[in-house]
Amino acid sequence: MVYVGSVGVGGNNPIRTQSMTTTDTMNTEATVAQILRLAEAGCEIARITAPIVLDAKNLEAIKSSLLKKKCNIPLVADIHFRPDAAMVAADFVEKVRINPGNFVDGKAFKVREYTDIEYQDEIRRIEDKFTPLVFKLKKLKRALRIGTNHGSLSDRIMNRYGDTPEGMVESALEYARICESNKFFDIIFSMKASNPRVMIAAYRLLVKSMAAEGMSYPLHLGVTEAGDGEDGRIKSAAGIGSLLEDGIGDTIRVSLTEDPEYEVPVAQELARRYQQFHLPVPALPSPAVSWMPLSSRRETEPLMVGPITLGGAAPIRVVSQLELTDTSAIEVMRLLEDRLKQDAPPEILRVISQGDRFAERFNQFRSNLSQEQNRLGFWIECFSGYSSAWALEANADGYIYSFGESHNEDELVLLMDACRRRSMHVVLESWSPLALSKAMDRLKNGRVPIILSLRWAENAYSVHAVRQLVSFLQAAGERCPLLLQSPLEKASLDTAVVLGALICDGIGDAICVGRENLNRNILDFSYNLLQACGSRLTKTEFVSCPSCGRTLFDLQSTTERIKSKTGHLKGVKIAIMGCIVNGPGEMADADFGYVGGGPGKINLYVGKSCVEKSIPSEIADDKLIELIKSHDKWVDPPSAAA
């Protein structure tokens, strides 16, 4: 456990929530007002940037003003590039955050091979510059956050480890070893990235590496540059929630391109799930995911659901569920017509079988679909304990059989026989991983393709139940596709946590959010979740930082403006960064970057390469569009094309 002022982090303490100011640190009044709003929203630790010594000195005035207003929230000084600013800031704040990628090292993107002797010389150079701060923090009883950013690893780390989770972890541990050699242990780590998969892999590797070196320090979780709106919330939930599911994480910050007080309720909601259930899980991921390499996916056998390929190398599919009535059929056809004009339609419909006229109604519905609407796959859902023979008359592509711990074995065998005769597949769905595994074991030689679906209860063990099922399948060598069926009736942070954690682990071939979910909001949520997890790109991907005192333009209005002009570019990734600190690195996998280069000036990037500097902000948007066009990534928006 580490104390940040009076706030304990780690140990038996609850998960702490944090945020960061977006004001100019030299504007004492505005910064104090924003921190008061954060404290009122429930923020427990507030971070302030200190770009230079002058800003660090003004932390005294900020702290003094807060205390006069009876606000004793612990403050953190955020330091990049300037050890001298860190030394000054330590006098006035409860914690100093340093970035090991740039605290001593610069960032020039130089390619150089280091011998072991040269590398150790660099470590000694770091030690000489860093140790004075360690001594001061130890003397004043301040805490230290060693905060690695995927986007700002030093050239030395990049040349030896590459832009990898291994590089992120080693970058932090180099500094931690210096702390420990000087008997300083009030350390908190963070491993932030804008890509949730990279962030998850880095934290897991850090936990493993700390254990190997006999370290045990609290962890600060966050997906950096997550963006705004639903996209930013989903991406944060997938990354942060995946780690909290494993018992990893002691304090969190949700980085949104919005006013910081809006970050706090999101962080509180994510923390609530784990503080409510007190998950008794190990500190390391379960064996079910340890064999999933970064950006890999569980190997499955592909099969066809009508015209839709499910599993194998096919993208994760979006499944929608509905009850088909005479009135709903018309509404469904209208929705399909609307969504099929976009790039995010339903792909497989699971239709609940009800009533002895169901087959007639369903066949009529399918025959009424236009040729374009018939690009869908169809499953008919049957339930254990009910006669489903009449449902087999429906012209479907496969059948879902839902059952509990026990089920009617004869009924299931009859269904399998019928599907075998008709060359169809069966989706076995249950609440129990063990029941699914046993059913799969009994039926796998029945020459009927099988898909598995675990419909879990709304509790804290959902992710672990699916991982357990995957472990069973892995041990048996089974490669059947897996449908992830969320029980929640609406798009929510909990849904993003559960489904996002599994998708980031490489688990799942299709997702279905809730029941009766064929509506625009849930379809949008489903595709946004897949995009946040890096699984499917169906719209423009934006990486935008949350702003801070270093930001050189209004991030919120700029992000909204650029989105309005480029948001129709499917599959194009655009980074909007307020300053250079994390800019080139965090947008390393972005196609284009829009970065603050100075007051009123914008630098444009293609990947990591700066291609235009100091563009006046008044024309920067047009220059960005010209750049996109020059790389053949531009298409006219639908209205302009029309």
Side-chain angles (χ1 to χ4, degrees), residues 222-519:
V223 177
T224 192
E225 279 90 39
D228 62 356
E230 184 177 75
D231 291 339
R233 286 160 174 78
I234 290 175
K235 186 178 285 188
S236 296
I240 295 171
S242 179
L243 292 163
L244 292 176
E245 287 284 336
D246 285 321
I248 295 174
D250 304 283
T251 176
I252 60 178
R253 188 244 174 140
V254 175
S255 299
L256 300 177
T257 311
E258 301 176 18
D259 291 340
E261 53 265 37
Y262 294 118
E263 297 179 350
V264 180
V266 185
Q268 290 173 329
E269 181 66 15
L270 289 175
R272 174 201 59 77
R273 173 179 172 84
Y274 304 94
Q275 288 164 174
Q276 175 182 349
F277 289 106
H278 305 292
L279 285 177
V281 297
L284 289 174
S286 65
V289 297
S290 63
W291 41 263
M292 296 288 185
L294 177 65
S295 74
S296 182
R297 194 168 132 203
R298 173 178 167 262
E299 292 185 3
T300 58
E301 295 289 348
L303 58 81
M304 300 303 297
V305 184
I308 303 295
T309 304
L310 177 69
I316 297 176
R317 299 301 186 179
V318 173
V319 178
S320 298
Q321 180 166 294
L322 73 150
E323 289 186 21
L324 193 62
T325 65
D326 292 335
T327 55
S328 70
I330 299 173
E331 296 174 3
V332 169
M333 282 192 285
R334 287 174 178 168
L335 176 61
L336 293 179
E337 183 178 4
D338 176 51
R339 296 297 303 202
L340 287 167
K341 294 176 183 177
Q342 306 176 34
D343 292 311
E347 295 174 298
I348 300 173
L349 292 184
R350 54 182 292 166
V351 185
I352 301 172
S353 59
Q354 289 186 337
D356 55 6
R357 289 187 57 247
F358 169 78
E360 176 187 346
R361 187 185 303 116
F362 176 82
N363 291 337
Q364 184 62 48
F365 165 74
R366 194 161 187 183
S367 67
N368 288 341
L369 294 176
S370 66
Q371 184 175 358
E372 187 176 68
Q373 291 171 333
N374 248 319
R375 296 184 308 186
L376 302 167
F378 286 91
W379 285 331
I380 301 300
E381 185 170 352
C382 308
F383 294 92
S384 175
Y386 294 87
S387 173
S388 55
W390 44 266
L392 291 172
E393 300 302 318
N395 181 27
D397 303 304
Y399 290 86
I400 299 175
Y401 185 78
S402 298
F403 60 93
E405 290 282 359
S406 61
H407 57 277
N408 187 325
E409 189 76 19
D410 293 337
E411 185 180 68
L412 180 53
V413 169
L414 287 173
L415 176 63
M416 299 290 285
D417 287 342
C419 288
R420 181 171 56 252
R421 290 194 301 271
R422 299 175 64 185
S423 299
M424 302 174 71
H425 59 265
V426 171
V427 182
L428 296 179
E429 183 170 86
S430 177
W431 300 94
S432 165
L434 184 59
L436 271 180
S437 180
K438 288 180 177 178
M440 177 74 180
D441 190 55
R442 287 194 300 270
L443 299 169
K444 64 183 179 182
N445 295 322
R447 300 190 304 281
V448 176
I450 294 176
I451 301 166
L452 294 186
S453 172
L454 186 63
R455 183 190 290 277
W456 53 80
E458 188 177 347
N459 60 38
Y461 302 98
S462 309
V463 171
H464 296 275
V466 178
R467 287 177 178 171
Q468 182 184 29
L469 174 62
V470 171
S471 289
F472 292 153
L473 298 176
Q474 182 75 356
E478 295 294 348
R479 300 176 61 198
C480 54
L482 188 61
L483 165 66
L484 303 179
Q485 170 74 43
S486 165
L488 304 172
E489 296 305 318
K490 60 181 180 180
S492 68
L493 284 179
D494 276 355
T495 305
V497 166
V498 173
L499 293 181
L502 294 165
I503 293 167
C504 286
D505 281 340
I507 296 174
D509 301 284
I511 62 170
C512 185
V513 177
R515 301 179 69 83
E516 288 301 300
N517 60 3
L518 188 60
N519 65 63

Side-chain angles (χ1 to χ4, degrees), residues 563-576:
K563 278 187 172 184
S564 70
K565 297 178 179 180
T566 63
H568 64 286
L569 301 175
K570 176 185 175 183
V572 175
K573 192 170 186 178
I574 300 174
I576 306 167

Side-chain angles (χ1 to χ4, degrees), residues 552-585:
L552 294 163
F553 53 80
D554 186 302
L555 223 348
Q556 293 184 45
S557 62
T558 301
T559 299
E560 191 60 36
R561 191 179 67 248
I562 293 176
K563 278 187 172 184
S564 70
K565 297 178 179 180
T566 63
H568 64 286
L569 301 175
K570 176 185 175 183
V572 175
K573 192 170 186 178
I574 300 174
I576 306 167
M577 316 299 290
C579 71
I580 201 64
V581 169
N582 294 325

Side-chain angles (χ1 to χ4, degrees), residues 11 34 38 81 150 154 201 285 309 311 327 341 375 478 526 622 634:
Q34 194 169 75
L38 284 172
F81 302 109
H150 182 233
S154 68
T309 304
T327 55
K341 294 176 183 177
R375 296 184 308 186
E478 295 294 348
S526 299
D622 292 336
W634 179 265

Side-chain angles (χ1 to χ4, degrees), residues 185-253:
F185 305 102
D186 291 326
I187 302 168
I188 297 172
F189 283 112
S190 66
M191 297 274 123
K192 292 190 175 183
S194 60
N195 182 328
R197 291 175 186 252
V198 173
M199 169 256 196
I200 292 166
Y203 277 104
R204 287 175 174 169
L205 181 59
L206 175 63
V207 171
K208 182 178 180 180
S209 300
M210 281 199 299
E213 298 200 24
M215 297 180 180
S216 181
Y217 294 110
L219 300 179
H220 170 100
L221 304 185
V223 177
T224 192
E225 279 90 39
D228 62 356
E230 184 177 75
D231 291 339
R233 286 160 174 78
I234 290 175
K235 186 178 285 188
S236 296
I240 295 171
S242 179
L243 292 163
L244 292 176
E245 287 284 336
D246 285 321
I248 295 174
D250 304 283
T251 176
I252 60 178
R253 188 244 174 140

